[in-house]
Amino acid sequence: MMLGAFFWGGLADKVGRRQSLLICMSVNGFFAFLSSFVQGYGFFLLCRLLSGFGIGGSLPTAFSYFSEVLAREKRGEHLSWLCMFWMIGGIYASAMAWAIIPHYGWSFSMGSAYQFHSWRVFVIVCALPCVSAVVALTFMPESPRFLLEIGKHDEAWMILKQIHDTNMRARGQPEKVFTVQRIKTPKQIDELIEIDTDTGTWYRRGFVRIRTELYGIWVTFMKCFDYPVKENTIKLTIVWLSLSFGYYGLSVWFSDVIKHLQADEYALRVKSFNGENISNYHFNFTLENQIHKNGEFINDKFISMKFKAVVFQDSLFERCYFEDVTSLNTYFRNCTFIHTVFVNTDLEKYKFTDSEIINCTFRDQKVGCQMTFDDDYSAYWIYFVNFLGTLAVLPGNIVSALLMDKIGRLTMLGGSMVLSGISCFLLWFGTSESMMVGMLCVYNGLTISAWNSLDVVTVELYPTDKRSTGFGFLNALCKAAAVLGNLIFGSLVGITKAIPILLASAVLVCGGLVGLRLPDTRNQVLM
């Protein structure tokens, strides 16, 4: 997505918003569908990589495209409504994951060569909006402002006339005639001269065209650091980096914070057994959240049962029989097994830590992950937390859309980032799951207003010939900061929740203060 944002954003300033958006969404849709059917893990990752490369260009191109057909008075509001579809897509994805993935019965296989499980259905369902967007884009016109920028006045005039006539009919004034009093002077268009057009091979001509387009994208990108937009680019870079680092770093790992709280509470209820001596006993029930130390199990049977979070330590199993056993977070540490039989179990080697196995038999071992969502309630909890966090964005979206053109972009950007930083700091004092989830909802609701205002400010601060390139570059930095935030937060969240929360809070507040120094674009005509 990082590479795609930069490439497709730059291409949109060269070939047009609609064409760039159509191609990048087609790339995403094709490889997203393909990733649902491939069987190899490496091939699956390749498909997701190419799918992400395609979808990365959607944000900078779509915002530039939409902003250039909006009236100045309503531009901030309608761009904020566009931001709401980020939330709608998030709700759609989390709801579909919650509804589809746990249904393990939605699967089929063709021998051992082809497997199709419920998560693959989820991948297909997530690709459907992209396909719908591609179909809709085929009926959309190009941005008239872009057409004027490259000197195609006739095409721009026809599109503007169509917009005008549609608006006048909606206002009940169909008789009002579209007139143009002043038109922009066209800029000089750089012509692409291909080498050996007549005699050269097709791949040489293709190479020249690709090289020239990439060079043009790079030249436009470097202009984003020239006067008069250089200072704005630097400030926007700081704000994008800080908002992305704080938001993605905390949001992605928040489920793990909840899981650590659950694990701590779960550990407080653990049952410990020491020095047991059990012989000729038939176990056929579930053992959960237990620790057995220095035990002796002689001639016992463990049949049709589940082990959940069970640890056997320094124990002896002699002439025991395990059959149809499923385990979750279960380990045998420094144990001894003598003349023991394992039939149809998922007790793999890694579950026997520093254990000694003498004259034991393993038959018909279960292959693959045997965990189900019924066995691991926290899996449901992850989807539920993500769903609530995404849903909490709705009030923030509505407020930002209604107030964007009234209180101004900068007030909303700086205020939202500072308030979200404060709400993030308050997460430090969360002591229960419900309290943490409630604070997360408040945090997400405040942060979305900052995202919406930042998107609006970004498209308004760049001129038409650099708008998609500048937005694409900043969005690429956003992805880089998200990756960095994931790495840092992921390494710290298992140690303590204080450092990630304080780090995110400080970064958000600092970024908000820088955002207040940006130029006010509320009454500005697009350049």
Side-chain angles (χ1 to χ4, degrees):
M1 292 177 70
M2 179 177 63
L3 297 174
F6 182 78
F7 175 77
W8 298 110
L11 192 66
D13 282 331
K14 298 286 293 180
V15 303
R17 284 57 166 129
R18 174 184 173 274
Q19 187 173 350
S20 177
L21 191 58
L22 191 60
I23 298 172
C24 75
M25 295 296 283
S26 299
V27 170
N28 170 62
F30 174 77
F31 286 103
F33 263 105
L34 186 60
S35 67
S36 177
F37 296 96
V38 299
Q39 295 296 299
Y41 184 59
F43 196 19
F44 173 79
L45 289 183
L46 176 63
C47 289
R48 298 312 302 176
L49 175 71
L50 296 174
S51 173
F53 178 73
I55 200 64
S58 62
L59 195 64
T61 310
F63 271 93
S64 300
Y65 188 16
F66 192 42
S67 67
E68 292 171 357
V69 295
L70 292 172
R72 178 183 58 189
E73 298 80 10
K74 291 288 185 178
R75 191 168 57 226
E77 177 184 341
H78 286 288
L79 284 173
S80 297
W81 292 127
L82 177 63
C83 295
M84 184 176 289
F85 286 88
W86 179 15
M87 175 210 66
I88 294 174
I91 292 176
Y92 174 78
S94 57
M96 291 300 100
W98 194 9
I100 295 174
I101 295 180
H103 292 281
Y104 281 2
W106 296 8
S107 62
F108 66 89
S109 61
M110 299 173 62
S112 59
Y114 191 84
Q115 305 285 332
F116 193 92
H117 298 289
S118 57
W119 67 265
R120 297 180 181 273
V121 179
F122 167 69
V123 173
I124 293 177
V125 170
C126 284
L128 293 179
C130 179
V131 176
S132 303
V134 170
V135 174
L137 282 169
T138 59
F139 300 98
M140 296 289 290
E142 181 55 86
S143 162
R145 182 171 290 276
F146 171 77
L147 293 174
L148 288 174
E149 189 71 25
I150 63 176
K152 294 184 177 181
H153 296 149
D154 292 341
E155 294 181 36
W157 186 88
M158 292 298 295
I159 295 171
L160 288 171
K161 183 178 184 302
Q162 179 184 354
I163 295 173
H164 171 272
D165 293 344
T166 302
N167 290 338
M168 290 305 104
R169 283 195 300 270
R171 293 180 181 180
Q173 301 174 339
E175 71 283 353
K176 196 166 184 179
V177 180
F178 174 68
T179 57
V180 177
Q181 297 177 344
R182 182 172 60 90
I183 199 165
K184 181 179 177 179
T185 304
K187 71 174 185 178
Q188 185 67 34
I189 302 175
D190 295 330
E191 294 292 339
L192 174 63
I193 302 176
E194 295 186 349
I195 301 175
D196 296 331
T197 302
D198 298 325
T199 59
T201 58
W202 64 270
Y203 58 84
R204 289 185 63 184
R205 292 195 296 272
F207 174 76
V208 171
R209 177 169 292 277
I210 293 173
R211 185 183 62 185
T212 306
E213 293 291 351
L214 291 176
Y215 178 73
I217 293 173
W218 179 256
V219 169
T220 305
F221 165 66
M222 294 305 297
K223 290 180 181 178
C224 293
F225 293 91
D226 292 339
Y227 180 84
V229 296
K230 177 182 178 180
E231 185 177 352
N232 292 338
T233 298
I234 295 174
K235 291 178 182 178
L236 284 170
T237 298
I238 296 173
V239 179
W240 274 88
L241 285 173
S242 58
L243 184 56
S244 179
F245 179 86
Y247 177 78
Y248 285 109
L250 186 63
S251 296
V252 170
W253 286 99
F254 190 80
S255 295
D256 271 50
V257 175
I258 297 293
K259 287 176 68 176
H260 281 292
L261 286 175
Q262 289 178 331
D264 292 341
E265 183 180 351
Y266 192 70
L268 293 175
R269 302 196 306 266
V270 66
K271 297 179 181 179
S272 298
F273 301 88
N274 192 21
E276 298 172 288
N277 193 337
I278 302 176
S279 301
N280 302 307
Y281 190 80
H282 185 179
F283 292 87
N284 60 353
F285 45 86
T286 298
L287 296 182
E288 182 176 3
N289 198 18
Q290 298 179 4
I291 297 177
H292 298 262
K293 295 182 179 180
N294 302 308
E296 291 186 2
F297 299 87
I298 310 298
N299 200 29
D300 294 322
K301 293 183 178 180
F302 302 83
I303 300 177
S304 298
M305 63 177 302
K306 294 181 179 179
F307 293 100
K308 297 181 183 179
V310 179
V311 175
F312 292 92
Q313 187 171 332
D314 301 317
S315 298
L316 170 66
F317 294 83
E318 186 173 354
R319 299 190 307 277
C320 291
Y321 184 81
F322 292 80
E323 182 178 358
D324 195 20
V325 171
T326 301
S327 61
L328 176 65
N329 294 330
T330 296
Y331 302 96
F332 299 86
R333 294 171 180 164
N334 197 29
C335 295
T336 302
F337 294 84
I338 302 175
H339 297 293
T340 297
V341 178
F342 299 87
V343 179
N344 192 31
T345 70
D346 65 349
L347 300 176
E348 301 181 52
K349 289 184 179 180
Y350 75 90
K351 297 185 178 182
F352 299 92
T353 306
D354 298 325
S355 295
E356 188 176 3
I357 300 176
I358 303 172
N359 295 327
C360 295
T361 303
F362 291 85
R363 297 202 308 265
D364 301 325
Q365 287 290 94
K366 295 179 180 179
V367 179
C369 180
Q370 304 302 318
M371 183 190 73
T372 67
F373 283 77
D374 293 331
D375 295 331
D376 188 12
Y377 174 75
S378 63
Y380 274 115
W381 182 254
I382 291 173
Y383 293 130
F384 184 64
V385 169
N386 286 335
F387 181 78
L388 286 180
T390 308
L391 192 62
V393 169
L394 179 60
N397 262 311
I398 295 175
V399 170
S400 63
L402 296 178
L403 299 181
M404 187 70 70
D405 290 313
K406 292 182 173 62
I407 68 174
R409 290 84 160 110
L410 300 186
T411 303
M412 182 162 290
L413 173 61
S416 297
M417 289 188 69
V418 171
L419 288 176
S420 62
I422 295 173
S423 67
C424 178
F425 174 75
L426 294 178
L427 287 170
W428 191 12
F429 301 98
T431 56
S432 65
E433 298 171 16
S434 57
M435 184 183 298
M436 293 288 284
V437 172
M439 290 180 178
L440 173 68
C441 292
V442 174
Y443 170 74
N444 282 353
L446 290 170
T447 308
I448 195 62
S449 298
W451 278 115
N452 292 358
S453 51
L454 182 58
D455 290 335
V456 174
V457 169
T458 301
V459 297
E460 291 179 337
L461 282 178
Y462 283 104
T464 301
D465 61 333
K466 305 180 186 68
R467 182 166 295 119
S468 287
T469 302
F471 202 118
F473 162 67
L474 293 170
N475 197 246
L477 286 181
C478 166
K479 307 307 177 188
V483 172
L484 182 63
N486 283 330
L487 293 175
I488 294 177
F489 280 67
S491 61
L492 296 175
V493 73
I495 303 173
T496 174
K497 69 177 183 180
I499 296 179
I501 289 174
L502 292 176
L503 181 61
S505 178
V507 168
L508 287 169
V509 171
C510 292
L513 296 177
V514 174
L516 290 172
R517 305 294 298 174
L518 288 166
D520 189 5
T521 57
R522 187 177 359 176
N523 299 314
Q524 177 177 303
V525 177
L526 289 183
M527 294 180 284

